Structure formats: structure tokens, C-alpha cells
Amino acid sequence: MKPPESRRSLALWCPDWSLLAARTEHGLDPDVALALMEKGRVVARSAAADAEGVTVGLRLREAQARCPGITLLPHDPLRDARTFEPVVRAVDEVVPGIDVRRPGLVAVHIGGAARYYGSEEAAARALADQVRGVSGLVDVRIGVADGVHAAELAARATTAAAPLRVLPPGTSRAFLAGLPLDVLAELPGAGPELVTLLKRLGLTTLGDFAALPGASVRARFGVPGMQAHDLARGREVAPVRAAAAPPDLTRHVVFEPGLERVDQVAFGCRTMAEEFVATLTARQLVCSQVQVSVFTDDDSSGRAHSDQVWTHPRHFTSAEVVDRIRWQLAGSGSGPERAVVRVEVAPLALDDAAAHAGGLWRDGPADRVHHTATRLQGRLGHDGVLTATIGGGRLLAERTRLRPWGEAAPSASARKADQPWPGSLPGLAPSLVYDEPVPVRLLDATRSVIRVGARGELSGDPVWLEPGALDPTDSGPRRVVAWAGPWPIRQRWWDPSETRRVDRVQLVDDHDQAWLLLYEQLSPAQAGPDDQVWSVEGRYD
Amino acid sequence: MWGNGPIDMFEHLFEHGGVTAALDLAPDLAMLRARIQRLESAGSPGEVAGFSVPEPLRSAFPSGLRAGATYAATGSLTLALALLAEACSQGAWSAVVGLPGLGLEVATRMGLDLERTLLVPTPGEQWATGVAALAEIVPVVLARPVRLAPSEASRLTARLRERGCTLLLTEPPAPTWPGVQATLHASPAGWRGLGAGHGCLLQRRLAVEVQQRTGRRTRHHLEVS
């Protein structure tokens, strides 16, 4: 077996991940000058900001002075990690067993994938194809080398034009030797101070540093120096740790004194099993495979008396976990010969609770809603099932934005909901809105149609309303008991084809029904018969 | 492994409680029947079992709108929207069927989350299918009723009951509709804010008459602003 430091590793590096994450979350354009701040200093900046002279380590004021239009956001490691999650999952689909070194950098062992895809290059390319496009990722750099550290540095040595660098086996050390010492500053175990010190000693490359005898380095620089030295020599300091289920999901129960009877042990495990399942449920996980380890009191070695993996066709409930413990104890003869002091349950196969039971009865509400809504769309047509958002606008029908189910919601800026919209309706909104204008007649005391003058004044006080088609009982004109208006709405006067001049009147009739009416201001050329000027915009049903 | 002992006895008690009860079913059955009856009747005051209703109507529905039941809210869409918004106030999904032009803006002001509202404005011939499909995924459906064959209507109500989906109808359904739990009829009872040529509508009052299936009638006042 090869020693761990020489295992072929692949590092997938997303340059400027923090910037990308910030951009994705805030919906910023890639060309925007952006800098991330931590403790009042710039920690990352976009290319546009770089062009203006903003550098890492700059103070806030200075950054603003050099680039007045700069967008400054706080650096948020949690945001980085959160947005990196989809990338991690995408990598995991191609190469299982991944190690997230930090947001923006994952490492995997490439051996298996290289055999599967035929070569390391092919595996790396498959990985890049898989990851590109996830979370808005375009620039993906991959380095393959002996050991994670060399692979990471190989990835960093790539360019956007040639995003893949494969160091053939055995050449990693030579590659590292040629690199300047500065690369150590960004790696764990070393630091800028160490790099400065080494430079003052006259060393310039990793090769110079690696050539120093290990014992001397250790004596002079202690453990961090030793780690940096190991890194420089191409040794693996932190090998890939293939991701497994997090260990904190493991639950155990200790019996003191030890229990000898199976049913006693099973009963004692009940609470533990319930907690085990409850922890998983709280994380929206289900477990379809558990490992049950039983420790007896003659085990001073710390090894389990019996260790068994149990698989479930769907997923385990607490009672089923207890059953497995019972079966395991009973299966090893007539129960354990020695007293059981400890039982441990570890989840081996975990799955998202929403995705797991797929389809029939236990998937997540959002999935089910989506599934059924899509099916209904199949019957009624794409725009048969809608969702709505309220946007900006003056006319009621304009404000409600309907869209077919499944289409992305318009962004807040596209909806323009937070803008003032002079002329929009104050107060109570009607419960019925007419998309198409329904003609009505608004009459004054002499029963002639009221007109709105060019200066926005009514030709008379509204006294009668003829609801026309909207009155189911057709009981004739209704008396207006309260009214207000006209409220002018002048839209897009700059565009002759889009321009609209309407006046709004709100009124309550003697049936205690409230209405919103619109008076269309027509140019003399368009003017039609008197009846067509008033229409209903909405009704307070 | 089935040894005797006190712990073993507990095991049996926990695991096979149903089996021991089966030996002696009759009193249990009587007790369960009594419980079902209690649940079906008005319900104990103060305990909200179903979907909550707007505050002024709580005295008529002390345990809220029952899951799986059908209610008719007639006379005013505002009343129907107020019921829907209140029922979904705990984050439930909802669906609106057959009501194009519904004033969604007033619904959001009442607290309806449009992100969790599905709209099927023109279901056409597929009304019953649509409501049945939506009943699978949302706990509350607001719909304008259409004329259904009695068999189809009873099939739909059975589905709703089974899924625990509450149906709010905006108009009184055909008399053949099986089992409308209660009918709420709203009539306008005044407006506030609008004068003769000035002001704007700020608040409205609705008089709501609730007629339960049992025949009990109560009157309430609902204010919407």
C-alpha cells in the first residue's frame, strides 16, 4: 500500500469564492466593483475594484476614496459555506468521498474516478463539467497531484484559459520546489510571519526551504515550522478525509452496572433510540442503515463485542432500532455471555427526509405541492395554475402580477413594489378587480353622464350609478350616498402609444356597495358615445 | 429472550398494549364513541382544533373551522378572503379555484401569503378534479362552486374529509351538496372614511350571520381595514 502522502489527489478550486457567494446572494452583476470587508479592512475584491486600485488589506475609507462607486459588503463565512453546498453536492455525484477544505476548495482522492473515467484528465474534466453552472459558477480550476497540498497549489497555478493542471506522479515535489515561498502564507500551519522570516533568511522558493534539514527547522521554528516544511517537501499534512456522516449523530447508552438480559438491554436502549431518530428528524434526515455496536464488560480493549450493520428498506423508526439491537443480542447465541455496558448506534446511510420516501406518503410538502401543481398544469394548461405577487403600479390590475406555477418570481426591483407610485389607490383595496373594463354610467342629478374636465373637475356631483351588466337584479340606477374623486392617473405621457389619462372615483351606493370607477380621458378624435367613458375598475364585494 | 420479570412486564405493556385491550373491547368502544360524539359537537370552548377564524367569529366557531369540512361564505368575497387569510395564518398553503379577478391585494393586507397560494382561475370542466387534486396538497381551498352531479359532489366531499382539506365556497352550493358544515352570510353594514366628495374608504363593517348545520343561528360583526 502506498504511504498516504503519495495518494493521487484532486483539488477543485473556485477562485474568489467569497465574492461569487456575495454576488449570488445579493444579485449583483459580475462587473460591479465589489469588496468584502472584515474588521474594517478589505479581504477580497472583484476585478473591477482591483482595476481601480483597491487591494486586500485596505481600509474602508481608503477603498471608498480610490473607487467611489464600490459596493462594500461584510465578509460572511457562513454565506460562503451555504452557497458552496450545491457545489459540494455536485462534486459528490461524480466522485464520492469528498473533503471540503474550505468554502471554494474541495479535495478528493482521484484514484477510483481516474480508473472509472479512463484517465485523471477525463475524471477532472467530468468533474468540471458537472460543477460548472452550479451556483452561478463559471471559473473552475482543477489541479491533480500527489497529495492535497500539491494539488491545491497546482490548481492555483492554473489560469482561466487553461483551468486544468495535472502533475504526473512523482513530479509534484519538483513542481513545489519552483514555487515562491509566499504560497505558504495562505496555507494552514504557516503564516505571513513565518514567510517573512524565511525570506529574511535568504530563502525564496519552497525548494530552498525544503532543502533545509528537518531537525534544524523543527529546532528553530517549532511545530508550525515543521508543518510548513512538510508541506514544502510535498508531504501530506492534512490528507483527504472522505466525508462521512457527521459523528455527532451517533448515540450511545451506558449501563452501570452492566446488564445481562436481552430484554433489559433492549428496554434500556429505548430512550436512546428515540433520541437517535429525533436528532435525525430534527435535521430533516432519515437513516436507512445503522451500525449497532455492543460493548461488554470484558472488553478492556475498547473494541465492540459485536458490531453489525442493519439495513432498512425505507428508514428506521425508534422501535425498529430497538428491534435491531434486540436481534443482534439474541443472534449472538442466547444473549451475551458477559454483561453489556454500552450500546452504540451509528447512522451509516443518511438521506434527506424529503427526498427519501419519494412519492407516496412521506415527501416534503413543497415537493408534493410542486408535483401536484405541475400535474394540474398538465390538465389545465401551463397558465391554468398561477401564483401571484403584488408589484408596483397605479391601476389595480397592473399591481397584481400573475405568473404560471413554476416560473421564477420577479425580483423586488422588477416588481418596483417599494416605489412611491403617485396616484395609486390609498386606503381599502377592493376584493374584486376587473381586468377588462366593464362599462357603467355615472349620472348627476339631471341624469346626464358626468364628465371630467381637462383640469380634473367633475361636471356635476355624482348622484346616480347605473351598474348595467354588474347588477344581477337589474334594479335600475342606484343612488350614490358617498363619493370622492376624481383622482387623476396620468401614465406614460411621453409615449403616445402607451399614454393613458384616467380619473378614478370611489363611491358607495344606496345598496351599501362600494365601487371604484375609472373615467377614460379620450382625445377628441377618439371620443365615442357618452356611455363608454365610465368603467368599473374594482368592486368592494 | 422472553423471560419473566418486572421489566419484561413493562415491555409487554408498552409494545402490546393494543392486544391486552382487545380482550375487553366493549367499554373502550363506548368510550371512543362518546369521544367522537364530543368532537363532532360544538367542541370544548377555548380549544382550537381546526383552522382559526377571525376574532369576531370565534364565538360561533370555538374550535375553528374543521379540517375536511365544507363551509359556505356567501354575500361577500371579503368575508371569504378574511376566512382564508386567517385559516392560513399559521403558514398553511391554500388554493383559490374559479375566482378570476379576486382582489389579491386586499388578501395580502389581511395576511394571506401569496407565495403559498395556488390560483386556478378558470378550471372549466375540471372543477371537481382540480379541487380534488388540490385537496391532496393544500389544507384550505377557496372556490366558487359549480353545479355538480350529486354522486360527484359526495365523492369530492369524501375526498376532502379523507384528506382533511377544508373547502370554503363563495356561493351557496346546490341543495344536493352533501354536508355544508355552516353557512356564513355577510351583508354590508357600513363604511368609514368616505364623505360627499372627499376622503377615501378606510374601513368597512360586515354583518355576518352564521347558520350552523344544527340550525343554530348567530350574528356577528366583522371589521375590515
Side-chain angles (χ1 to χ4, degrees), chain A residues 390-466:
Chain A
I390 301 297
R394 296 179 180 87
L395 298 169
L396 292 170
E398 283 177 0
R399 292 174 66 88
T400 306
R401 312 277 164 93
L402 296 170
R403 63 180 193 278
W405 173 261
E407 285 189 6
S411 65
S413 58
R415 286 190 278 132
K416 299 176 183 155
D418 46 358
Q419 289 172 19
W421 294 107
S424 62
L425 179 71
L428 215 54
S431 53
L432 207 53
V433 176
Y434 296 91
D435 286 339
E436 295 295 316
V438 184
V440 291
R441 281 154 61 92
L442 188 64
L443 311 172
D444 61 12
T446 62
R447 304 249 173 171
S448 57
V449 174
I450 292 175
R451 299 193 152 274
V452 181
R455 297 187 171 202
E457 80 287 357
L458 296 178
S459 62
D461 282 359
V463 178
W464 300 99
L465 172 72
E466 278 183 8

Side-chain angles (χ1 to χ4, degrees), chain B residues 54-69:
Chain B
E55 182 65 46
L57 298 174
R58 291 233 169 110
S59 58
F61 302 97
S63 52
L65 300 182
R66 268 177 48 198

Side-chain angles (χ1 to χ4, degrees), chain B residues 31-57:
Chain B
M31 192 193 76
L32 285 173
R33 281 211 187 93
R35 254 176 89 178
I36 289 169
Q37 252 169 11
R38 223 178 23 248
L39 286 175
E40 275 193 338
S41 63
S44 54
E47 181 196 2
V48 177
F51 299 102
S52 62
V53 291
E55 182 65 46
L57 298 174

Side-chain angles (χ1 to χ4, degrees), chain A residues 97-315:
Chain A
I98 62 170
D99 185 4
V100 182
R101 310 297 286 217
R102 59 178 173 271
L105 182 72
V106 276
V108 292
H109 283 148
I110 191 73
R115 274 195 297 282
Y116 179 80
Y117 286 100
S119 71
E120 286 171 345
E121 284 86 351
R125 234 168 261 128
L127 202 56
D129 288 345
Q130 173 82 7
V131 169
R132 215 162 271 146
V134 176
S135 296
L137 195 58
V138 182
D139 195 3
V140 181
R141 314 284 184 82
I142 291 180
V144 181
D146 301 334
V148 182
H149 172 228
E152 185 188 339
L153 290 176
R156 283 175 182 275
T158 56
T159 59
L164 174 61
R165 175 120 188 212
V166 179
L167 303 176
T171 61
S172 296
R173 225 185 134 171
F175 166 75
L176 289 177
L179 293 176
L181 269 179
D182 299 280
V183 296
L184 277 182
E186 293 176 26
L187 292 166
E193 300 85 16
L194 180 72
V195 174
T196 323
L197 194 54
L198 291 174
K199 277 185 178 168
R200 288 199 338 237
L201 289 172
L203 306 173
T204 52
T205 63
L206 283 183
D208 296 344
F209 185 39
L212 299 178
S216 313
V217 171
R218 188 185 185 88
R220 174 68 181 80
F221 299 105
V223 176
M226 199 59 210
Q227 278 184 356
H229 193 241
D230 280 346
L231 287 174
R233 286 193 297 170
R235 288 222 186 145
E236 199 71 289
V237 175
V240 170
R241 279 189 194 83
D248 62 335
L249 296 177
T250 304
R251 287 286 174 273
H252 67 270
V253 60
V254 176
F255 300 109
E256 195 153 1
L259 298 176
E260 291 183 355
R261 286 201 354 230
V262 174
D263 47 354
Q264 285 175 331
V265 175
F267 185 71
C269 289
R270 230 165 242 276
T271 321
M272 182 263 286
E274 274 162 19
E275 198 196 324
F276 171 73
V277 173
T279 320
L280 294 180
T281 314
R283 289 160 183 262
Q284 314 237 318
L285 293 170
V286 291
C287 180
S288 56
Q289 202 175 43
V290 292
Q291 181 167 27
V292 176
S293 313
V294 178
F295 298 82
T296 52
D297 59 358
D298 60 342
D299 272 329
S300 49
S301 61
R303 281 222 305 271
H305 166 76
S306 75
D307 231 351
Q308 206 165 335
V309 174
W310 298 91
T311 309
H312 196 281
R314 290 217 318 278
H315 54 85

